[in-house]
Amino acid sequence: FIACHAQCLSGPYTIGGVNPDFQRIRLAFDSIRKVGICGNIDFNIRPGVYSDSLTLPYIKESDQYRIRIKSENNDSSSVVLKPIPDLVNTINRYVFRLLNSKNITFEKLTFNLNSSLMEFCGIYIQPNSVNSDGIELFNNAFMSDSVKGQALTVENNVPCPIKIKIKNNRFLGTNILIYGNNPDTAASLQINSNVFQGNAAGIHVYTFPGKVNVSDNHITDTLTLAPKVVMIVNAGIIERNYIHLKSGSGIRVGPGFNLSTSYVQVINNYVQVDSSHFPAITIAGGKGLIPFNTIRINSYGKYGSALQVEATTTSIVKNNIIISRGGPRGLIDVIDKSSSIVDYNRYEGVPGIFGKADTTMYPSFSVWKLATGFDAHSQFQKTNLADHPGYKIVGDPDLKNSGTPIPGIST
């Protein structure tokens, strides 16, 4: 291997297999803690199953250099990582714990978090006193056969500009959980081009202070009632995601630390919920921009509107396709009529209740437009989804050329 001098690590190293540099991942971490690093490091893990619970603290030299932990043959299925069950201390049930760690990449690995008895975590990030930025998860698989498996947990309670990138991973029955009271607005989170499948799979981000981008993800086949994309953030963009759920709620967003400045954009997503008591998309406070989405709900539930807007500052709902089989709240539910702008949408639904604004229910599209002042340039057509189980949108699938485009938005 390459080394700058005998007391630091740099370059590629092998872990496991025949004649490795390190027999176990734990030994490689021990070496980093003891001698430090003096260049970028690739830990290439050879095929096998590895069981451990490891903590990597802050390494001073990682301000300049990156540590990459990956499969040697670039096949994520060949390297399986499992946490060691700890029946006493619940906080130790992880594979990797990053305590103030910086510039760490996990790439092309499989995390097996199967357990019916305890909650396991693949990667547990715990910033404590310094920046924990530069954390990357690329092309990994996270698997759990129960609701107890969490792929990634971030305890984000200390003021520091934590920065995380999550791209091209597969989450099977596992979720991403980020929570805490860190007020540092320099923090950033990117969750892009991932696949989430199965019960409990989803993205849950609570009180994140910085910018969040959730885009181009594919989320399907859940049986739980909880929302699959939850964001309580100051600034966020949710765009170009495909979400098809058997039940539950697709997207729910709300304000972060500052209600008056919170601003979330939900743009160009496809969200379908086949059976649910809750809206497919909910904007729960703050300011929202909701254009170019296709929102479809096939159930008649207690809160079965396709779109619910609870914003307390201006929210703009334009150029969406909103479809519902029916429900006591119809196609759209606007909690605060005075704070919303709704127009240039296309609605498709069954005869009956069209929507709700403030506390008033409106039985038809024409009454809705006249009473609320919404949707002056929108369209409505009746449909009976019960007669068309294979129902698909026909004709032009969007209205982006039907009205005045929203400044600054491109699709």
Side-chain angles (χ1 to χ4, degrees):
F1 54 79
I2 302 170
C4 294
H5 53 78
Q7 292 186 338
C8 65
L9 301 182
S10 176
Y13 298 88
T14 55
I15 297 176
V18 179
N19 296 322
D21 296 307
F22 299 98
Q23 191 64 48
R24 298 175 58 193
I25 304 173
R26 176 177 294 275
L27 297 177
F29 277 28
D30 287 344
S31 183
I32 287 179
R33 285 193 293 265
K34 290 176 182 178
V35 303
I37 64 176
C38 52
N40 293 326
I41 290 179
D42 280 354
F43 285 130
N44 296 304
I45 306 177
R46 290 172 171 167
V49 178
Y50 300 80
S51 297
D52 219 329
S53 294
L54 305 167
T55 295
L56 185 64
Y58 171 66
I59 306 298
K60 181 180 179 181
E61 296 83 359
S62 66
D63 290 343
Q64 305 175 53
Y65 304 115
R66 176 166 294 278
I67 300 171
R68 188 165 66 150
I69 304 166
K70 60 180 287 290
S71 58
E72 183 183 45
N73 61 6
N74 293 317
D75 179 359
S76 62
S77 65
S78 70
V79 176
V80 179
L81 307 175
K82 302 173 66 174
I84 296 177
D86 189 328
L87 299 177
V88 178
N89 192 346
T90 58
I91 199 173
N92 289 339
R93 297 172 185 169
Y94 49 78
V95 179
F96 295 111
R97 179 189 181 205
L98 304 184
L99 184 62
N100 295 327
S101 305
K102 295 184 65 174
N103 292 328
I104 308 292
T105 298
F106 298 94
E107 187 172 352
K108 297 177 182 176
L109 305 167
T110 291
F111 293 77
N112 186 330
L113 309 174
N114 292 342
S115 174
S116 60
L117 301 176
M118 60 187 67
E119 183 174 300
F120 281 154
C121 178
I123 301 172
Y124 177 35
I125 300 177
Q126 191 177 28
N128 196 3
S129 59
V130 298
N131 298 355
S132 284
D133 60 359
I135 308 301
E136 299 175 341
L137 280 65
F138 296 152
N139 302 99
N140 301 287
F142 297 84
M143 304 185 303
S144 176
D145 58 1
S146 74
V147 298
K148 298 180 180 294
Q150 291 182 350
L152 172 69
T153 299
V154 181
E155 185 180 324
N156 191 30
N157 284 317
V158 176
C160 67
I162 184 170
K163 297 178 181 179
I164 303 173
K165 295 180 180 180
I166 304 168
K167 187 174 183 178
N168 292 333
N169 301 278
R170 183 178 293 273
F171 300 88
L172 304 177
T174 64
N175 64 34
I176 294 171
L177 173 63
I178 299 175
Y179 67 95
N181 297 308
N182 172 12
D184 195 321
T185 57
S188 68
L189 174 64
Q190 299 178 41
I191 304 174
N192 312 122
S193 304
N194 302 282
V195 173
F196 296 82
Q197 293 177 303
N199 193 25
I203 302 168
H204 300 161
V205 181
Y206 299 102
T207 59
F208 194 84
K211 295 181 179 179
V212 179
N213 180 285
V214 177
S215 63
D216 302 296
N217 298 285
H218 193 280
I219 304 176
T220 58
D221 295 332
T222 180
L223 297 175
T224 57
L225 291 177
K228 296 303 102 185
V229 179
V230 182
M231 289 174 45
I232 310 299
V233 298
N234 280 346
I237 297 178
I238 304 175
E239 61 180 342
R240 299 187 306 273
N241 298 284
Y242 175 89
I243 304 174
H244 184 183
L245 311 178
K246 294 180 180 178
S247 65
S249 180
I251 298 173
R252 180 177 178 87
V253 297
F257 294 95
N258 191 328
L259 178 63
S260 62
T261 61
S262 178
Y263 184 40
V264 177
Q265 302 175 62
V266 181
I267 305 171
N268 207 13
N269 301 279
Y270 178 89
V271 182
Q272 176 175 331
V273 181
D274 291 333
S275 177
S276 178
H277 292 288
F278 305 100
I281 296 181
T282 300
I283 310 298
K287 182 178 180 180
L289 178 64
I290 309 102
F292 307 134
N293 299 282
T294 296
I295 308 165
R296 173 179 170 180
I297 191 165
N298 292 344
S299 66
Y300 190 100
K302 183 178 180 181
Y303 303 106
S305 61
L307 172 65
Q308 181 169 303
V309 181
E310 303 176 5
T312 56
T313 54
T314 302
S315 282
I316 300 173
V317 181
K318 285 187 175 182
N319 305 96
N320 300 282
I321 299 172
I322 303 175
I323 307 166
S324 177
R325 176 178 293 181
R329 296 196 181 190
L331 287 145
I332 183 169
D333 182 1
V334 179
I335 303 299
D336 185 356
K337 185 173 64 175
S338 65
S339 68
S340 300
I341 299 171
V342 184
D343 204 356
Y344 298 108
N345 301 291
R346 187 170 87 196
Y347 300 94
E348 299 184 20
V350 297
I353 295 174
F354 174 83
K356 179 182 178 184
D358 294 337
T359 58
T360 303
M361 307 294 294
Y362 296 96
S364 68
F365 180 55
S366 58
V367 174
W368 165 269
K369 289 201 299 182
L370 182 64
T372 65
F374 293 152
D375 288 310
H377 305 90
S378 298
Q379 304 169 3
F380 174 79
Q381 67 183 54
K382 296 178 182 179
T383 186
N384 190 342
L385 298 181
D387 293 338
H388 303 281
Y391 176 82
K392 294 182 179 179
I393 299 171
V394 294
D396 184 6
D398 62 44
L399 291 176
K400 62 185 178 184
N401 297 317
S402 297
T404 303
I406 301 169
I409 297 299
S410 60
T411 58

